[in-house]
Amino acid sequence: MLTTEIFDLLKAKFPRIAKEEGTSAVIIPKELLLEFGRFIKDAPLIFDDLHCVTAIDKKEKIDLVYIFYSNPLQHSLTLKIYLGPEDPKVESLAAIWKSANWLERETYDLFGVTFLNHPDPRRILNPYDWKGYPLRKNYSAPNFIAKPKL
Amino acid sequence: MAMMERIPAAGLIQKFPGGKFFLASSEAVLKWGKASSLWPMTFGLACCAIEMIATGASRFDIDRFGAGVFRASPRQCDVLIVAGTICVKMSDCVRRLYAQMPEPKYVMAMGNCAISGGIFYHDTYSVVKGTEALGIPVDVYIPGCPPRPENLLLGLMKLQEKILNEENANNRNI
Ligand code: SF4
């Protein structure tokens, strides 16, 4: 299915979604996430594969990014949720896609996005007692040595 | 016996003329034995490990120098080749492996990452800045990113030289 067809189908079901300017990503409000997830997992879209969860720190907001793929229909969808930079929270998708479990742990570990109702909300890449979220723009580590300006 | 010619301290070992025996101080023989049969650990951390694996395989063949028995347990090893980037999360594991090795034990820091953090020295939050930053004493540094197998072999020969010329070898930093 083409991206525009997918968007029209989604727009008919969820009038509050929008298209991001300059990309083909779909933006949804965060309250819609679980309902939206259950909808796209089933027919007619059958997005059975969630293969990327990540985030982008834009200082004034954090973009949470999900990329879905449909193996039977071979189309994909990029989903974005805009979150505030202070204490971002969103529902976990781990109950719908098993792959979300580790991907969400990674996003929590590096960006500090808290996933509510996650089955195992620990860090994954950094040591468990790590302080701070390394991929945030304002992060600084105690042993961090900045590159000298050339 | 070919080993004896290559090694400086082998002068301490003398053959009986025409006989099957040879005469030496026990320490020289011990050192010679230690240097000729180093057992490294099967342990790689990053890209440098690939080079270490190549050194162990048939083309470069580290076995020619008596160090080809890569063991899968630290309790059977003499040499820890720190081959690669030490991440903060992995650092505890490296320290524990070193602690588990029986004395006498030797450490080779292979590659810039194991020496000082290498290309990850600046602007990285997750990399330990060298093996010595973990409190593990290093015997031989092998610079390069990654060092070629020849460099690792040279490092090994340097380590053998060090072992053969070691004073007071029996109570080394235990
Ligand atoms: S020194 Fe270079 S090759 Fe070796 S682990 Fe570091 S980055 Fe990789």
Side-chain angles (χ1 to χ4, degrees):
Chain A
M1 222 186 268
L2 295 173
T3 319
T4 45
E5 290 170 359
I6 296 173
F7 183 76
D8 293 343
L9 205 151
L10 290 170
K11 187 80 182 170
K13 171 86 183 168
F14 303 98
R16 289 168 67 200
I17 67 170
K19 212 171 204 161
E20 195 183 47
E21 219 160 282
T23 68
S24 58
V26 175
I27 307 164
I28 67 166
K30 70 173 180 182
E31 317 80 73
L32 270 186
L33 182 62
L34 276 183
E35 201 190 331
F36 187 90
R38 277 190 218 102
F39 177 71
I40 63 171
K41 176 108 191 241
D42 287 333
L45 289 170
I46 327 183
F47 283 108
D48 54 353
D49 183 8
L50 167 59
H51 64 87
C52 175
V53 178
T54 185
I56 306 164
D57 185 359
K58 293 195 172 157
K59 286 189 180 161
E60 75 280 7
K61 64 179 192 311
I62 286 177
D63 294 7
L64 193 61
V65 185
Y66 296 85
I67 300 175
F68 300 95
Y69 184 73
S70 164
N71 283 306
L73 302 179
Q74 307 206 342
H75 56 207
S76 66
L77 173 71
T78 308
L79 178 69
K80 282 195 181 181
I81 298 177
Y82 293 162
L83 300 169
E86 299 302 326
D87 197 16
K89 280 198 181 76
V90 74
E91 280 292 328
S92 166
L93 286 182
I96 306 176
W97 287 273
K98 288 239 165 58
S99 60
N101 189 329
W102 280 21
L103 295 170
E104 288 178 349
R105 278 175 70 185
E106 185 179 341
T107 312
Y108 164 69
D109 192 0
L110 300 176
F111 287 96
V113 178
T114 311
F115 290 91
L116 305 166
N117 302 321
H118 190 282
D120 185 17
R122 287 180 299 162
R123 288 184 179 272
I124 189 166
L125 297 173
N126 287 313
Y128 296 132
D129 56 355
W130 194 268
K131 296 267 183 306
Y133 306 106
L135 294 191
R136 288 280 194 96
K137 289 274 193 278
N138 60 2
Y139 177 78
S140 89
N143 58 350
F144 197 80
I145 300 176
K147 200 171 179 181
K149 291 266 179 299
L150 296 176
Chain B
M1 285 293 156
M3 185 87 184
M4 280 170 62
E5 276 112 59
R6 204 164 61 71
I7 285 164
L12 290 170
I13 302 172
Q14 290 167 10
K15 245 200 251 183
F16 258 64
K20 286 178 184 164
F21 304 95
F22 57 85
L23 189 69
S25 81
S26 58
E27 199 175 337
V29 172
L30 198 68
K31 283 177 183 172
W32 174 62
K34 264 196 275 184
S36 318
S37 161
L38 290 168
W39 290 20
M41 202 193 304
T42 314
F43 179 60
L45 287 165
C47 9
C48 274
I50 304 297
E51 221 65 4
M52 181 180 75
I53 294 159
T55 316
S58 55
R59 184 176 173 119
F60 296 98
D61 195 7
I62 202 171
D63 224 356
R64 292 177 293 159
F65 304 92
V69 199
F70 281 88
R71 305 308 291 188
S73 160
R75 291 166 200 270
Q76 301 170 348
C77 295
D78 307 304
V79 189
L80 172 62
I81 303 178
V82 185
T85 321
I86 309 169
C87 290
V88 174
K89 194 162 183 177
M90 197 63 184
S91 61
D92 268 353
C93 176
V94 179
R95 226 185 268 126
R96 192 147 14 111
L97 286 173
Y98 177 74
Q100 285 181 353
M101 288 164 64
E103 292 281 350
K105 53 190 170 188
Y106 305 92
V107 178
M108 290 158 89
M110 178 183 183
N112 295 350
C113 285
I115 294 173
S116 68
I119 52 170
F120 304 109
Y121 184 79
H122 292 297
D123 290 347
T124 312
Y125 57 90
S126 59
V127 172
V128 177
K129 292 175 176 58
T131 314
E132 295 217 319
L134 290 180
I136 298 176
V138 177
D139 294 283
V140 179
Y141 292 96
I142 309 168
C145 182
R148 282 193 55 86
E150 290 90 327
N151 292 16
L152 181 57
L153 294 176
L154 180 66
L156 182 72
M157 285 186 235
K158 291 280 175 212
L159 180 61
Q160 289 176 335
E161 239 170 69
K162 178 171 177 170
I163 295 170
L164 287 165
N165 297 317
E166 215 167 26
E167 305 241 322
N168 212 0
N170 291 336
N171 41 23
R172 186 181 178 274
N173 66 20
I174 297 180

